[in-house]
Amino acid sequence: MVDADQPRPAAQPARYSAVRLNSPEWFARVGEVARVIGSDRFHRELVELAGAAINHDACWIIRYSRVAPPDVLYTKDVASDVVAYYTNLYSSVDPFSEYWKNNGSPGVLMLNDVSSPGQSWDMYHKVFQTLASISDELGMFFSTVGHCCFGLFLERETGRFSQTDIERARLIFPMLEGFHRSHLGALFNDLRNPRGTQVEGFITRPTLIEDRFGVDVFANDAWRDAARRAPALTDAVEALRVAPAGTIHASGSLNVKVEVFDRDFPLAPGGRMYVLDAPQRGVADDPDRLLEDALGIFTPREREILLLLMNGQTTGEIAQKLSLSKGTIKNCRLRMYRKTGVGSERALVKHVMQSIGAR
């Protein structure tokens, strides 16, 4: 994303150009998505279909949960070290994850929609996005079941997605969501087959599914193991059979959440799903503190200049923004090089990111 008070980078041709939505190539891609419904290739083909409609440089598929960290499922044209940085540190300050946890709903979401002041945003926007060469992000959110969703993301390395791009994304979203719902239904319906799929990416915790009459339709091995170890799990399910969707039953070490299926859900119309959450882990490091610690060796002025450098601003732009001379900015930058033992802006940014990740 480019802040409103900063010069926008000149738009460069995207790595992948959009096709016409009435072209043979587009309909061939639509057909391929329909063909792989129910297979493990489905969401990769779905993000490829979205990318065929919108100019972009890279894509991600991330599973978000309201109770667990983000999980990167697939990337295209994203460096492996960038994925590692995201997974090991920056997923904790991902504003899209925060959106889903707080008030997420299916639909198209832009990077501008999730921006917020604070050092968590600075870590994601000014630090992670600089390393990842992300100038703008366009996300499409698809609910699964329970408290999870799949986020399909298209990225731009320079410039921003145009209004036409955004309108196209919103135009095709109902079709993409329809394919996704069909895929989800096919996977769950296949649970009736003992040799069917294990619904990878959807059921990752101990899970029980009942129909609307309270009859068991599916329970994974993790749920059965938990029920053997904790007989109180049966009481938790009994208490949740008449509870509203989203209710959590907490008793001792048990933390069970219930979700209610629509009446047209293939596996259990109007049924319920019970999910046993994992034990609470220790509190994650505060991103504000991590950033403060990593920048502790710099003076307040050096920190200010460093964050602007991370945001892609030139020496001249920084000098104008801070009402300083170019010489002052260059001298400040040289002092930061000496403090960190590096010799370039890119090395300086990398040093700061590695310092954060090591804490």
Side-chain angles (χ1 to χ4, degrees), residues 67 146-147 205-210 220 222-224 226-227 229-260 272-280:
V67 297
H147 40 63
R205 296 182 182 278
T207 301
L208 169 70
I209 296 175
E210 293 181 339
N220 60 6
W223 179 274
R224 287 190 286 268
R229 294 194 308 270
L233 194 56
T234 301
D235 296 332
V237 170
E238 185 68 30
L240 290 170
R241 281 205 174 102
V242 294
T247 301
I248 296 177
H249 178 90
S251 175
S253 61
L254 295 178
N255 195 22
V256 185
K257 182 174 181 179
V258 64
E259 292 295 335
V260 181
R272 290 178 171 243
M273 182 178 73
Y274 308 90
V275 178
L276 178 63
D277 285 340
Q280 292 293 322

Side-chain angles (χ1 to χ4, degrees), residues 149-160:
C149 79
F150 274 27
L152 275 55
F153 292 93
L154 302 179
E155 316 281 7
R156 287 298 305 266
E157 293 180 355
T158 61
R160 302 176 68 175

Side-chain angles (χ1 to χ4, degrees), residues 158-227:
T158 61
R160 302 176 68 175
F161 287 104
S162 68
Q163 190 59 39
T164 299
D165 292 329
I166 299 170
E167 290 171 359
R168 273 192 163 205
R170 290 173 176 156
L171 176 67
I172 66 174
F173 181 81
M175 178 187 67
L176 302 183
E177 186 178 37
F179 280 139
H180 168 79
R181 287 177 61 84
S182 295
H183 173 70
L184 181 60
L187 289 181
F188 273 88
N189 200 46
D190 201 31
L191 288 174
R192 298 180 187 277
N193 177 6
R195 299 189 180 188
T197 68
Q198 294 302 305
V199 200
E200 183 178 359
F202 295 102
I203 296 182
T204 58
R205 296 182 182 278
T207 301
L208 169 70
I209 296 175
E210 293 181 339
D211 65 18
R212 64 181 181 274
F213 303 110
V215 177
D216 290 3
V217 174
F218 168 80
N220 60 6
D221 290 340
W223 179 274
R224 287 190 286 268
D225 291 342

